[in-house]
Amino acid sequence: MKKFNFRKVLDGLTASSPGGSAGGGGAGGGSAHPGGTAGAAGTPREEIQETLTSDYFQICKTVRHGFPYLPTALAFDPVQKILAIGTRTGAIRILGRPGVDCYCQHESGAAVLQLQFLINEGALVSACADDTLHLWNLRQKRPAILHSLKFNRERITYCHLPFQSKWLYVGTERGNTHIVNIESFILSGYVIMWNKAIELSTKTHPGPVVHLSDSPRDEGKLLIGYENGTVVFWDLRSKRADLRAYYDEAIHSVAWHHEGKQFMCSHSDGSLTLWNLKSPNRPFQTTIPHGKIQRDGKKPESCKPILKVEYKTCKNSEPFVIFSGGLSYDKACRRPSLTIMHGKAITVLEMDHPIVDFLTLCETPYPNEFQEPYAVVVLLEKDLIVVDLTQSNFPIFENPYPIDIHESPVTCTEYFADCPPDLIPVLYSVGAKHKKQGYSNKEWPISGGAWNLGAQTYPEIIITGHADGSVKFWDASAITLQMLYKLKTSKVFEKQKPGEGKATAEIVEEDPFAVQMMYWCPESRIFCVAGVSAYVVVYRFSKHEVNTEIASLEVRLQYEVEDIITPEPEIIPQFPDASSQLPSLKSLSGSTNTVACEGMMKDSIPCLSVKTRPVRMPPGYQADLVIQLVWVDGEPPQQITSLAVNSAYGLVAFGNCNGLAVVDFMQKTVLLSMGTLELYGSSDPYQRQPRSPRKSKQFAADNFCMRGLSNFYPDLTKRIRTSYQSLTELSDSPVSLELERCKSPTSENRENSFSRSRSSSVSSIDRDSKEAITALYFMESFARKNDSAVSPCLWVGTGLGMVLILSLNLPASDDLRQSEPVMVSPSGTVLTLKGAVLTFACLDCTGTLIHPPYEVWRDPHSADDGEKTRKRKLVMHSPSSSQDMGDHQFAVICSEKQAKVFSLPSQTCLYVHNITETSFLLQADVVTLCNSVCLACFCANGHIMTLSLPSLRPLLDINYLPVTDMRIARTFCFSNEGQALYLSSPTEIQRLTYSQEMCDNLQDMLGDLFTPVETPEAQNRGFLKGLFGGSGQAFDREELFGEATAGKASRSLAQHIPGSGGIEGVRGAAGGVIGDLTRARIALDERGQKLGELDERTASMMASAEAFSKHAHEVMLKYKDKKWYQF
């Protein structure tokens, strides 16, 4: 106990010591009271047993949702039925049935040029822009690279892997074709050089290889397409060209007829040529499908290039010819399209985005059978669609993946893990009212892999806010993502007519409805949105449709000390202790100190106009109240920087860089709207002189989380008073302006040399701006030092590290709540931290997180009349015995620089931890994990940290991800149970966990990409067909390309790099019988392969030994009878 008493002395000393001490458990930095409260506050420190240790924490990525950003390549395994998409950033996404979604990344980050599945083998080959081939093992839940092969002297342009072959053909920019053994990933010595492939008389280089495929009729023949229009049919056995075809337009792609007698080429002039192997001198059919036929019988005019063509045959109907591009040049506005030619019918499917690639899905994996195409997968720049070919109108399949996250750019996110379980079905029921018509009635064809729920059972919801004002609610349980419900917040406003924007009061030209902040109370189902045009909308949830007018309020927020303006005189905020010192209220409409803006003075007008007529609101979230900030004396309203709602109190609070507004959304009245400086009330003795008008720089609005949506404000001359110019600047003099403000009578024991450093942060305040409200929190708490019981409070945090507590005086009984006014008054309590305040939380005396009070949800438009008169049911979250609650609390406050824990009501700072000196926090949240609580922080330097509560011991600090992008800063959020997420690209959500338990259980939750499926048997070819149909069956690639025949390739040509995912990768395969079988089969395969290799090696050694002995015998016979001098 001696040590503990020593602590008490320290606690008392800190009240007069400058600054806060560094380190996790150091006391100080707060408004400690030397009077004896420190001892009282000290007692709980011994009682609280913190259960969390660093063993509970580990960081790993769990799953990535959304559309692969900047896609470049597409592949499909027709037996396993899984799809792979490669991207420009070196990522691969592998998709199967819903729930089977895997993300892997090439370490080099080089763009993926091409992907090829080893069909039904559980492996994938990727070719990247850094001229490296990689073999991925998909028989484990997290695919890993088994081998890599880097080409040193040539650039890879095209790859082809024949079905059931272990030899991969690789075409290069120089026009050469190399052959790689898939098993060993070593180059064969067999090379098809471009100068051998083309005729000797040809003087020009044929260009890069753009196509490679073996003949469906004979695997020993390879079709090579060169860019300049040359096609070579190469006989692999005799190592010479069987035939060559020339066309005077560049080739983009080639496709075979399944019988192997004809092939089709697509060209740069929008033409398709069909060639017969018997007459290669010229194509026997040339068409320009979208070319206009000229009257005088000339060749049709050329069109845009046909980038890819597929030629698929059907047993009972005409073949399908499907191609992308090829549209006429004169239709400049035509959208990118896919053309399907079936017999004489030509269908053009227009797409919303450019086509990256497409694949036709066929019933058979064998290239020499009728293909029977049933669907086309089209990969667009920002979408993935699948077209049903079995119906004549070619409908598309309804996409089960969450790939439309980016339908409108995401501007903010919220994540709720372990939320009430009834919310997901409720949101789904209002969101899935009517399914869109016109989709194919068939099952989604990409149905491979296996997925089970795993052990994690709690419900999770992700909310995304978007640039067009829409809000999407997603079911994110068990690492999947499915859209539940979409809310369009722009519907409460009148539509802007084109060209009207300049004349009206808009402050944002593009995306005026962009969602900037969201606040959701899952228990009461109250939802609140702050928009970029300085408005707040409060929504209530109802299962009933309603026709009603939208209530709206307008609020003036100004920074000047003498200008407290409230819209209605009868609801002037009443401060009992400050009424005598309150500046007199005066109207500013006639003020002379103004700035003209676009020829007229804008004052008291909002940025957008709310619909005045009754509006039909469908079931779901219905607007209850719209609150808009208005222009003040020609100055636009500033964007909202903080937002909080409490359903039990019926209040919404929001702030910006000018000040704070508190609104009663039950009575639809403004309770408080005042500049930040007025919040200090009578506690501010400084005589503030009006500043001389000067031009201020444009307020850096994009400091607040919305960079890049638009240039928010025009350059306006602002009326700024000189006495506040230095508010955010450093001051070396002991009596700085800020310090003057800090010396308020109610907080006499502040540190007396408090000086702050400005930090350049996403949430920090810019040099030319004012003291913004950066955090708000409604709570049952102790507002003042001498309070004996908790009361409703609003905690306010500012960009200068100030924390103010406002007392909320609510009507005593629920019956009076609709009629009696709510009083809001400053309590006089001011606490300080370094850096802008980010988050608040309260713990009870046992260290348990106290949930803010809430109202239990009831339907506001229920058909039951009695329900409207029924009392509100409030949950106040007080512990079992009320005296415990009344004893004391811990207030946890985190700023962008440090975290502090205060004991209330004594306001003693028990713990302080300086989180970062050189950087700043972007996000901090108090979260629950394993029935305990911790503080989770994400720092701008990329570190993710967790601190214990209440003692602020560091538990985890991992350098996870540098913030390369404002998007990450704006969208990173923590949730309970060790969950977090951020937008890793404009189209993708990356989820991660910081919980060791979830990292351990992740394997069970991930889907299996590979499931044992029998390869379908080839159709019986028939006797005559076998006799006359070519000699394809007898072709032995091993004999031709193996080292024994072809020799070794030059070492300098390509370098083999062993991968990380060998048999260890297989250990990660699914547990259970299938996993064991898979592992046993792979082990047997590898063993058999090694035995086979050993057998081959032994045989070749014996053969070479025999040859050597024979040769030696011949030499001996030759020289047996010769004398030494005859040699």
Side-chain angles (χ1 to χ4, degrees):
M1 288 299 285
K2 281 183 185 172
K3 179 183 171 193
F4 200 57
N5 291 334
F6 179 62
R7 275 271 194 218
K8 282 197 274 183
V9 177
L10 274 179
D11 270 355
L13 282 174
T14 0
S16 54
S17 68
S21 71
S31 310
H33 199 293
T37 45
T43 46
R45 201 187 292 195
E46 292 231 309
E47 296 163 20
I48 293 175
Q49 286 292 314
E50 291 178 1
T51 53
L52 292 180
T53 63
S54 53
D55 300 339
Y56 282 79
F57 297 94
Q58 185 191 333
I59 295 228
C60 69
K61 292 181 181 176
T62 52
V63 66
R64 186 174 286 215
H65 303 295
F67 182 75
Y69 184 53
L70 302 173
T72 52
L74 186 64
F76 183 71
D77 185 325
V79 180
Q80 286 287 325
K81 295 208 176 334
I82 55 173
L83 186 83
I85 299 172
T87 75
R88 201 180 299 170
T89 56
I92 299 176
R93 278 286 283 288
I94 302 166
L95 301 166
R97 67 177 67 239
V100 177
D101 182 343
C102 176
Y103 161 81
C104 26
Q105 174 74 43
H106 293 94
E107 280 183 22
S108 65
V112 178
L113 298 177
Q114 204 179 345
L115 294 169
Q116 289 259 289
F117 276 104
L118 278 65
I119 293 171
N120 206 22
E121 292 291 332
L124 174 74
V125 174
S126 60
C128 294
D130 60 353
D131 307 305
T132 310
L133 297 170
H134 305 275
L135 178 67
W136 293 84
N137 175 16
L138 308 184
R139 290 175 182 246
Q140 57 197 75
K141 294 192 173 189
R142 291 236 152 150
I145 292 174
L146 290 165
H147 301 282
S148 300
L149 187 69
K150 176 149 179 62
F151 281 71
N152 295 325
R153 297 203 303 243
E154 299 197 49
R155 307 221 64 178
I156 299 170
T157 54
Y158 195 88
C159 297
H160 169 64
L161 180 68
F163 179 46
Q164 293 180 324
S165 161
K166 66 172 187 179
W167 298 94
L168 174 77
Y169 301 115
V170 182
T172 69
E173 200 172 43
R174 290 189 185 176
N176 303 326
T177 302
H178 300 276
I179 298 162
V180 177
N181 183 320
I182 285 295
E183 289 170 355
S184 62
F185 239 57
I186 291 171
L187 268 183
S188 163
Y190 193 114
V191 187
I192 306 168
M193 304 300 281
W194 68 271
N195 52 357
K196 298 278 197 309
I198 63 168
E199 278 183 315
L200 292 172
S201 57
T202 312
K203 289 176 183 172
T204 54
H205 188 280
V209 174
V210 292
H211 178 83
L212 291 167
S213 59
D214 52 340
S215 161
R217 217 168 157 210
D218 183 352
E219 296 170 342
K221 304 281 175 70
L222 185 68
L223 191 74
I224 309 170
Y226 295 96
E227 193 179 64
N228 75 346
T230 303
V231 176
V232 175
F233 195 47
W234 182 264
D235 187 327
L236 291 162
R237 294 184 200 83
S238 61
K239 300 186 183 176
R240 62 184 180 82
D242 265 13
L243 60 89
R244 298 180 180 90
Y246 298 99
Y247 193 69
D248 51 8
E249 289 292 340
I251 289 177
H252 283 281
S253 75
V254 184
W256 278 103
H257 185 282
H258 82 272
E259 288 175 350
K261 297 174 185 173
Q262 299 173 2
F263 61 88
M264 183 179 281
C265 300
S266 73
H267 300 277
S268 55
D269 64 344
S271 65
L272 295 172
T273 54
L274 195 57
W275 300 78
N276 198 315
L277 292 183
K278 288 182 178 170
S279 53
N281 298 333
R282 60 193 180 88
F284 78 84
Q285 190 183 325
T286 304
T287 52
I288 300 183
H290 294 297
K292 282 186 183 166
I293 296 165
Q294 310 286 13
R295 285 186 183 170
D296 45 6
K298 283 182 186 169
K299 183 181 159 188
E301 63 176 15
S302 61
C303 294
K304 293 173 184 173
I306 293 178
L307 300 174
K308 182 174 182 178
V309 65
E310 295 214 330
Y311 186 21
K312 301 295 179 186
T313 52
C314 307
K315 208 168 196 170
N316 302 319
S317 72
E318 297 281 327
F320 279 89
V321 175
I322 303 168
F323 62 88
S324 60
L327 293 179
S328 168
Y329 278 107
D330 64 354
K331 296 192 173 102
C333 57
R334 279 282 284 273
R335 296 192 293 179
S337 64
L338 186 82
T339 306
I340 302 173
M341 296 164 67
H342 187 221
K344 291 184 177 171
I346 297 183
T347 307
V348 178
L349 303 177
E350 291 197 341
M351 305 293 168
D352 292 335
H353 310 284
I355 296 172
V356 174
D357 198 358
F358 72 89
L359 284 174
T360 311
L361 310 189
C362 299
E363 296 290 353
T364 176
Y366 294 93
N368 56 359
E369 295 175 0
F370 279 104
Q371 295 297 287
E372 305 296 350
Y374 60 90
V376 185
V377 179
V378 190
L379 178 63
L380 308 176
E381 267 182 17
K382 292 184 179 175
D383 204 357
L384 176 76
I385 63 165
V386 183
V387 181
D388 185 351
L389 292 179
T390 60
Q391 296 176 46
S392 56
N393 59 337
F394 303 130
I396 64 168
F397 289 87
E398 187 168 15
N399 196 320
Y401 307 132
I403 57 168
D404 56 347
I405 292 170
H406 62 285
E407 188 179 12
S408 167
V410 176
T411 52
C412 58
T413 54
E414 291 290 339
Y415 189 4
F416 297 85
D418 207 5
C419 54
D422 58 335
L423 281 171
I424 288 173
V426 159
L427 287 166
Y428 185 75
S429 66
V430 294
K433 289 182 303 298
H434 37 262
K435 194 180 168 185
K436 283 187 193 169
Q437 299 300 308
Y439 284 118
S440 168
N441 52 11
K442 293 229 165 60
E443 287 287 306
W444 179 251
I446 304 160
S447 57
W451 180 76
N452 60 337
L453 268 166
Q456 185 187 317
T457 51
Y458 53 82
E460 297 172 72
I461 289 177
I462 290 171
I463 310 178
T464 52
H466 300 263
D468 64 353
S470 61
V471 173
K472 291 179 183 177
F473 290 75
W474 307 83
D475 174 6
S477 310
I479 70 170
T480 59
L481 196 69
Q482 184 186 6
M483 191 158 91
L484 294 170
Y485 173 66
K486 181 177 176 180
L487 170 68
K488 293 180 179 171
T489 64
S490 58
K491 290 205 164 174
V492 301
F493 298 105
E494 297 288 0
K495 277 186 183 166
Q496 289 289 336
K497 289 175 185 139
E500 224 179 63
K502 288 277 184 282
T504 63
E506 269 193 52
I507 53 171
V508 180
E509 287 174 14
E510 58 193 71
D511 304 314
F513 306 114
V515 177
Q516 193 161 4
M517 303 183 96
M518 301 178 292
Y519 193 101
W520 190 44
C521 173
E523 289 81 10
S524 64
R525 301 187 191 170
I526 294 261
F527 182 64
C528 199
V529 164
V532 75
S533 299
Y535 61 83
V536 169
V537 189
V538 181
Y539 287 90
R540 288 181 184 269
F541 187 85
S542 173
K543 293 179 180 177
H544 303 279
E545 185 176 305
V546 66
N547 256 314
T548 182
E549 285 191 15
I550 301 167
S552 67
L553 289 173
E554 291 177 2
V555 176
R556 289 170 77 93
L557 268 188
Q558 249 180 314
Y559 202 63
E560 276 72 17
V561 70
E562 71 271 49
D563 306 339
I564 302 180
I565 305 289
T566 45
E568 293 124 4
E570 70 270 15
I571 50 166
I572 292 169
Q574 297 174 24
F575 300 153
D577 60 335
S579 51
S580 56
Q581 286 102 332
L582 265 180
S584 58
L585 289 162
K586 56 183 183 187
S587 166
L588 274 180
S589 50
S591 169
T592 52
N593 187 6
T594 56
V595 181
C597 177
E598 290 174 14
M600 63 168 238
M601 179 72 192
K602 291 184 186 178
D603 188 61
S604 300
I605 50 170
C607 304
L608 303 169
S609 46
V610 179
K611 287 177 180 173
T612 48
R613 61 186 184 281
V615 178
R616 186 188 76 83
M617 298 184 191
Y621 273 106
Q622 299 168 347
D624 190 48
L625 175 65
V626 181
I627 309 153
Q628 293 194 89
L629 292 178
V630 295
W631 287 66
V632 178
D633 302 344
E635 286 197 26
Q638 301 293 341
Q639 285 178 355
I640 290 161
T641 55
S642 55
L643 173 69
V645 187
N646 189 284
S647 54
Y649 304 158
L651 302 180
V652 56
F654 58 93
N656 63 9
C657 65
N658 283 339
L660 170 72
V662 181
V663 171
D664 181 339
F665 63 79
M666 291 177 73
Q667 293 187 28
K668 313 277 192 286
T669 54
V670 181
L671 302 179
L672 176 89
S673 96
M674 54 184 359
T676 314
L677 294 170
E678 276 73 86
L679 293 174
Y680 298 95
S682 59
S683 318
D684 194 3
Y686 193 68
Q687 292 303 304
R688 304 182 185 278
Q689 300 302 318
R691 284 190 283 194
S692 58
R694 70 174 185 105
K695 275 202 169 181
S696 89
K697 290 181 189 164
Q698 178 183 343
F699 170 59
D702 56 355
N703 260 355
F704 289 98
C705 306
M706 293 292 291
R707 187 179 298 253
L709 267 180
S710 45
N711 301 323
F712 291 114
Y713 302 113
D715 278 315
L716 283 165
T717 311
K718 298 185 179 177
R719 295 184 305 116
I720 297 178
R721 315 213 169 267
T722 48
S723 57
Y724 312 142
Q725 271 172 356
S726 58
L727 254 184
T728 57
E729 292 170 20
L730 279 172
S731 169
D732 295 321
S733 60
V735 188
S736 67
L737 175 66
E738 193 173 321
L739 180 63
E740 286 290 348
R741 196 182 67 198
C742 297
K743 285 184 185 166
S744 54
T746 48
S747 55
E748 65 278 5
N749 294 303
R750 310 184 59 83
E751 300 97 330
N752 51 12
S753 63
F754 175 77
S755 70
R756 303 182 46 253
S757 63
R758 276 175 58 256
S759 61
S760 56
S761 150
V762 176
S763 58
S764 283
I765 309 308
D766 196 78
R767 199 179 192 91
D768 280 319
S769 67
K770 312 147 188 177
E771 183 173 11
I773 307 293
T774 56
L776 293 166
Y777 184 63
F778 285 103
M779 193 59 200
E780 297 281 300
S781 187
F782 299 93
R784 298 170 186 83
K785 281 189 185 178
N786 49 4
D787 282 4
S788 57
V790 293
S791 59
C793 295
L794 172 61
W795 290 68
V796 180
T798 77
L800 297 180
M802 298 292 164
V803 176
L804 304 146
I805 304 179
L806 303 186
S807 286
L808 308 173
N809 195 349
L810 295 156
S813 70
D814 198 47
D815 308 335
L816 301 171
R817 179 63 186 85
Q818 291 290 356
S819 52
E820 291 274 310
V822 177
M823 303 292 187
V824 183
S825 56
S827 65
T829 300
V830 183
L831 308 172
T832 63
L833 286 88
K834 280 195 289 188
V837 179
L838 296 179
T839 193
F840 298 105
C842 273
L843 311 180
D844 66 16
C845 54
T846 63
T848 311
L849 184 66
I850 310 172
H851 193 294
Y854 63 86
E855 177 192 356
V856 176
W857 177 78
R858 59 192 174 123
D859 200 320
H861 306 298
S862 173
D864 180 12
D865 288 335
E867 196 158 348
K868 286 187 180 174
T869 56
R870 205 181 61 202
K871 276 193 165 186
R872 298 164 70 221
K873 186 179 172 190
L874 305 184
V875 178
M876 301 314 269
H877 267 278
S878 50
S880 49
S881 57
S882 54
Q883 64 264 29
D884 280 359
M885 187 72 176
D887 186 6
H888 61 262
Q889 287 179 345
F890 296 109
V892 181
I893 310 173
C894 186
S895 76
E896 60 186 12
K897 289 287 188 183
Q898 66 178 183
K900 286 186 179 182
V901 174
F902 293 93
S903 175
L904 299 179
S906 70
Q907 296 174 17
T908 312
C909 180
L910 294 178
Y911 304 97
V912 60
H913 180 71
N914 290 324
I915 298 170
T916 174
E917 293 294 337
T918 53
S919 187
F920 51 90
L921 294 188
L922 295 164
Q923 185 69 32
D925 282 295
V926 174
V927 290
T928 58
L929 177 73
C930 303
N931 299 318
S932 192
V933 282
C934 64
L935 175 66
C937 309
F938 176 54
C939 194
N941 60 15
H943 285 251
I944 289 177
M945 292 165 273
T946 59
L947 303 172
S948 73
L949 290 176
S951 69
L952 299 177
R953 282 180 298 108
L955 298 172
L956 171 84
D957 185 350
I958 288 184
N959 189 359
Y960 170 74
L961 163 102
V963 181
T964 50
D965 202 308
M966 274 297 293
R967 185 191 332 102
I968 298 170
R970 197 174 65 225
T971 58
F972 196 102
C973 53
F974 291 103
S975 189
N976 295 330
E977 304 308 325
Q979 305 271 21
L981 67 80
Y982 60 94
L983 247 77
S984 54
S985 74
T987 62
E988 293 164 290
I989 288 176
Q990 176 68 57
R991 283 163 73 178
L992 59 139
T993 181
Y994 49 95
S995 151
Q996 177 71 57
E997 185 187 6
M998 183 152 176
C999 291
D1000 295 341
N1001 295 335
L1002 190 57
Q1003 282 293 337
D1004 302 333
M1005 298 164 72
L1006 295 170
D1008 288 294
L1009 297 172
F1010 180 79
T1011 49
V1013 181
E1014 285 295 316
T1015 302
E1017 285 188 16
Q1019 290 169 11
N1020 189 2
R1021 300 186 73 217
F1023 172 70
L1024 287 171
K1025 212 166 186 184
L1027 199 62
F1028 302 112
S1031 54
Q1033 299 308 302
F1035 176 61
D1036 184 1
R1037 293 189 180 91
E1038 185 68 49
E1039 192 184 316
L1040 264 183
F1041 307 145
E1043 206 176 294
T1045 317
K1048 283 186 178 177
S1050 161
R1051 278 194 181 173
S1052 59
L1053 190 60
Q1055 170 193 357
H1056 176 259
I1057 306 157
S1060 56
I1063 192 79
E1064 342 41 282
V1066 179
R1067 289 193 193 113
V1073 182
I1074 288 177
D1076 295 339
L1077 278 172
T1078 308
R1079 285 195 284 276
R1081 186 180 153 193
I1082 294 171
L1084 275 172
D1085 284 355
E1086 289 188 357
R1087 189 172 165 218
Q1089 189 183 316
K1090 282 178 181 147
L1091 284 170
E1093 284 172 7
L1094 190 65
D1095 202 28
E1096 282 169 25
R1097 222 173 285 155
T1098 313
S1100 69
M1101 281 167 74
M1102 281 174 70
S1104 60
E1106 209 172 299
F1108 180 73
S1109 108
K1110 191 178 169 189
H1111 189 62
H1113 187 65
E1114 281 172 2
V1115 170
M1116 186 268 287
L1117 289 174
K1118 186 176 176 185
Y1119 297 114
K1120 187 174 71 171
D1121 299 326
K1122 292 194 178 180
K1123 301 281 188 255
W1124 64 269
Y1125 50 82
Q1126 291 176 313
F1127 287 127

